[in-house]
Amino acid sequence: MKVIKWSVITIIICIIVIQFIPKNLPVNSDDSTTNILYLEESSAEIAEIIRVSCFDCHSTQTNYPWYSKIIPIYFLVKRDVKLGRDEVNFSEWGNLSKRKKIRVLSSSKKEVEKGKMPLKIHTLVHQDAKLTDSEKQSLLSWFEELNENILDE
């Protein structure tokens, strides 16, 4: 019984100490001149949907909540943001080629249609990021409209 007690105390101390390890979450940038919402025409509704449901993982304007600095949650947040930005970074929209923009819109549309975006783990914690059927339809229509505009350029 004594061994179990000391093992639990040791684990608790390790968990507390590990919290003091410096954490390097992906860096944010306030530069919005290459941002999709700055460069492309959108309604206020679409802009809000994109900000709330997409930007935390797919932009350099991530809103890191207080718990994102607590290990082990830190590792999950860091990984998800890095993977999200690597896949699609709406803050870099202005730096993408026409072909890449079309691919991004196509893959984004497919992910939203299939209900894969936003991620379920994200919407569990951020209920406001969950897309309603109406928001999903608005977003899909905007992706399609944006795609047509790019093709017409």
Side-chain angles (χ1 to χ4, degrees), residues 20-34:
F20 294 100
I21 295 173
K23 296 158 190 78
N24 301 318
L25 289 166
V27 179
N28 276 337
S29 168
D30 290 333
D31 179 21
S32 62
T33 58
T34 58

Side-chain angles (χ1 to χ4, degrees), residues 24 26 52 54 58-59 63 71-72 85 104 112-113 116-117:
N24 301 318
V52 171
C54 307
H58 297 287
S59 80
N63 177 26
I71 292 175
R85 288 181 183 179
V104 165
V112 170
E113 281 175 332
K116 291 184 176 182
M117 284 290 140

Side-chain angles (χ1 to χ4, degrees), residues 9-27:
I9 290 171
T10 302
I11 290 171
I12 290 170
I13 289 170
C14 287
I15 289 171
I16 291 169
V17 168
I18 202 167
Q19 300 307 316
F20 294 100
I21 295 173
K23 296 158 190 78
N24 301 318
L25 289 166
V27 179

